[in-house]
Amino acid sequence: MSAGSAATAEIREAVRALCARFPGSYWRDLDRARAYPTQFVAALTEAGFLGALIPEEYGGSGLGLSAAAAVLEEIHASGSNGGACHAQMYMMGTLLRHGSAEQKRQWLPQIAAGRVRLQAFAVTEPTSGSDTLSLRTTAVRHADHYLINGQKIWTSRAEHSDLMLLLARTTPQSEVVKRTDGLSVFLIDMREALGAGLTIRPIRTMMNHSTTEVFFEDLKVPADALVGVEGRGFQYILDGMNAERTLIAAECVGDGRWFIEKATAYARERRVFGRPIGQNQGIQFPLARAYAAVRAADLAVCHAAQRFESGARIGEEANIAKLLASEASWQAAEACVQTFGGFAFAEEYDVERKYREARLYQVAPVSTNLILSYIAEHVLDLPRAY
Ligand SMILES: Cc1cc2nc3c(=O)[nH]c(=O)nc-3n(C[C@H](O)[C@H](O)[C@H](O)COP(=O)(O)OP(=O)(O)OC[C@H]3O[C@@H](n4cnc5c(N)ncnc54)[C@H](O)[C@@H]3O)c2cc1C
């Protein structure tokens, strides 16, 4: 059902074969324990999928965003969850585009080989929320190092990562010329930072997501942990967000496919009043509508990924893909629950787990309202709302 090109067909098949080794029972057990899917992530790393976007000269596969999107879509369409590892794909782009030659030489081959995990992306703070420019974590330059103080929230996978990409303020907001200046990106070696100024506190959430709060108290990082130019960090993060939104949208398309496949199979089998429930148009139509929405979202994702690969700026396309895909997957989730009736609520069918997992994407990594604001302001040229 995916609109992906023939070039990605082989990748899709390989991902499906890998995911088949991690059935619903694997994910259910982890979900109950809120445990990290270590074996699954190791298998993906070993197969080279998490290094898909790393250029071949650094030991990666050198593939484009369409291929990375295909990997994540198939993971989700198989009933698995890419939330445990997707960040490596989009964060790596920040390092690749803005990192120094030395940083790339040092980290990319290790990430590609699976020796180092780049999974923690620390942007959101408890008081700033969607208003990234008002974040309060500071990095103050001293002779050969920076001292970092502050707090982040929702830093997912921090306990399962060796590196953290951090956005912190290096120039007070009152002293910058442009409001988007004064923030900087750091690549922090968490193995050295833990216990030396960095503390991690897990947050238990409605689905299994390994998310955390992190606290920085006089964390000393070497000056060469800075990525790119000091003060330009917000631009770097924005650059990466379009790839992130496209990849997350691909996961939503995968979720949508999973819900529809699961629901249609059940609707064909389940007999009530002497006939399959799928014979009733009251069951058919919500599934047909959801299917159409997922297909349309899939086209939007493919379009965004292809434009990204051609070097275009894809603010509009990535935001639209994320909006449509997160809503389509939720439409499919609703139709699936309604089709299963009471059995949707039983753990063993995985519907309730996927339903909890799919809900996130209308909130994170960017909420629907913020996407609509982007489209209104930047595409439709309406006055800025905030
Ligand atoms: C499970 C999970 C994992 C996450 N992982 C990460 C991660 O790894 N790294 C990271 O940095 N962040 C992460 N996040 C944070 C995520 O990006 C934010 O939750 C998201 O951007 C929304 O921010 P907020 O929760 O602070 O909501 P708020 O900014 O407080 O917004 C609350 C609501 O108000 C709405 N709203 C706010 N302002 C406006 C406005 N001007 N107009 C209209 N509506 C408005 C929003 O749309 C939203 O619906 C994660 C979040 C979750 C829940």
Side-chain angles (χ1 to χ4, degrees):
M1 160 169 135
S2 177
S5 70
T8 61
E10 219 172 289
I11 295 174
R12 288 176 184 278
E13 206 180 309
V15 175
R16 276 198 295 273
L18 187 152
C19 290
R21 289 161 39 203
F22 299 91
S25 54
Y26 172 79
W27 295 100
R28 283 197 294 277
D29 288 347
L30 293 173
D31 185 65
R32 274 188 217 119
R34 291 294 189 273
Y36 189 74
T38 307
Q39 285 171 301
F40 174 71
V41 175
L44 280 177
T45 309
E46 202 177 305
F49 292 127
L50 295 188
L53 292 172
I54 299 179
E56 282 174 301
E57 59 173 308
Y58 297 110
S61 319
L63 297 169
L65 198 63
S66 302
V71 170
L72 292 174
E73 181 192 325
E74 290 305 327
I75 288 175
H76 280 246
S78 303
S80 300
N81 191 341
C85 52
H86 54 198
Q88 187 146 306
M89 286 193 175
Y90 51 76
M91 278 195 291
M92 195 278 309
T94 308
L95 182 56
L96 195 60
R97 274 190 303 277
H98 307 291
S100 66
E102 181 46 37
Q103 282 169 331
K104 288 189 249 189
R105 251 199 320 273
Q106 181 181 1
W107 296 118
L108 290 177
Q110 295 201 67
I111 295 170
R115 286 192 297 276
V116 163
R117 301 161 300 171
L118 170 60
Q119 293 290 2
F121 187 43
V123 174
T124 310
E125 296 188 0
T127 52
S128 58
S130 307
D131 182 9
T132 306
L133 291 177
S134 67
L135 65 79
R136 294 182 185 171
T137 297
T138 55
V140 177
R141 178 79 196 241
H142 296 266
D144 62 346
H145 65 274
Y146 286 88
L147 269 190
I148 299 176
N149 279 287
Q151 182 193 347
K152 296 284 172 181
I153 194 169
W154 308 120
T155 310
S156 303
R157 304 160 297 271
E159 294 169 295
H160 306 282
S161 189
D162 302 305
L163 298 177
M164 170 190 282
L165 207 64
L166 168 76
L167 186 66
R169 182 158 287 288
T170 38
T171 307
Q173 218 166 3
S174 56
E175 291 173 24
V176 294
V177 181
K178 258 173 72 187
R179 56 193 283 278
T180 51
D181 285 347
L183 298 176
S184 302
V185 170
F186 295 89
L187 189 63
I188 293 176
D189 191 332
M190 296 174 69
R191 297 164 299 186
E192 290 171 7
L194 264 173
L198 174 69
T199 314
I200 302 175
R201 198 158 72 198
I203 304 174
R204 196 175 162 94
T205 51
M206 72 189 243
M207 71 301 188
N208 184 20
H209 201 84
S210 309
T211 196
T212 72
E213 284 179 285
V214 296
F215 300 85
F216 305 95
E217 217 179 321
D218 285 336
L219 173 68
K220 193 172 166 181
V221 299
D224 64 9
L226 177 75
V227 175
V229 178
E230 190 182 291
R232 299 287 299 148
F234 186 67
Q235 292 308 326
Y236 301 165
I237 294 294
L238 280 188
D239 282 352
M241 279 178 173
N242 289 332
E244 177 186 15
R245 283 168 200 184
T246 307
L247 292 174
I248 296 289
E251 294 188 344
C252 295
V253 169
D255 282 338
R257 285 174 50 199
W258 186 90
F259 284 119
I260 290 166
E261 208 178 302
K262 194 91 178 166
T264 48
Y266 186 78
R268 280 189 291 268
E269 295 296 318
R270 170 77 170 165
R271 295 182 72 84
V272 180
F273 297 114
R275 58 183 184 165
I277 56 168
Q279 203 174 334
N280 301 303
Q281 290 185 322
I283 289 289
Q284 293 175 356
F285 288 0
L287 292 172
R289 257 187 204 285
Y291 177 77
V294 172
R295 287 301 313 266
D298 184 24
L299 293 174
V301 174
C302 290
H303 178 62
Q306 282 160 12
R307 297 232 338 126
F308 184 87
E309 284 164 352
S310 72
R313 292 192 73 85
I314 59 157
E316 176 177 343
E317 290 83 356
N319 277 288
I320 288 176
K322 161 71 171 56
L323 174 74
L324 297 180
S326 63
E327 292 185 344
S329 68
W330 190 243
Q331 198 176 341
E334 283 288 349
C336 184
V337 166
Q338 215 57 26
T339 301
F340 267 76
F343 288 110
F345 297 82
E347 260 188 356
E348 66 177 288
Y349 291 95
D350 292 313
V351 173
E352 61 85 32
R353 172 179 63 81
K354 288 289 274 186
Y355 186 81
R356 286 182 281 118
E357 290 173 359
R359 185 61 181 83
L360 175 66
Y361 295 119
Q362 289 170 83
V363 171
V366 58
S367 65
T368 298
N369 278 1
L370 270 286
I371 291 188
L372 293 172
S373 284
Y374 177 92
I375 296 172
E377 183 188 335
H378 296 282
V379 182
L380 304 181
D381 199 24
L382 291 167
R384 189 180 173 80
Y386 52 84

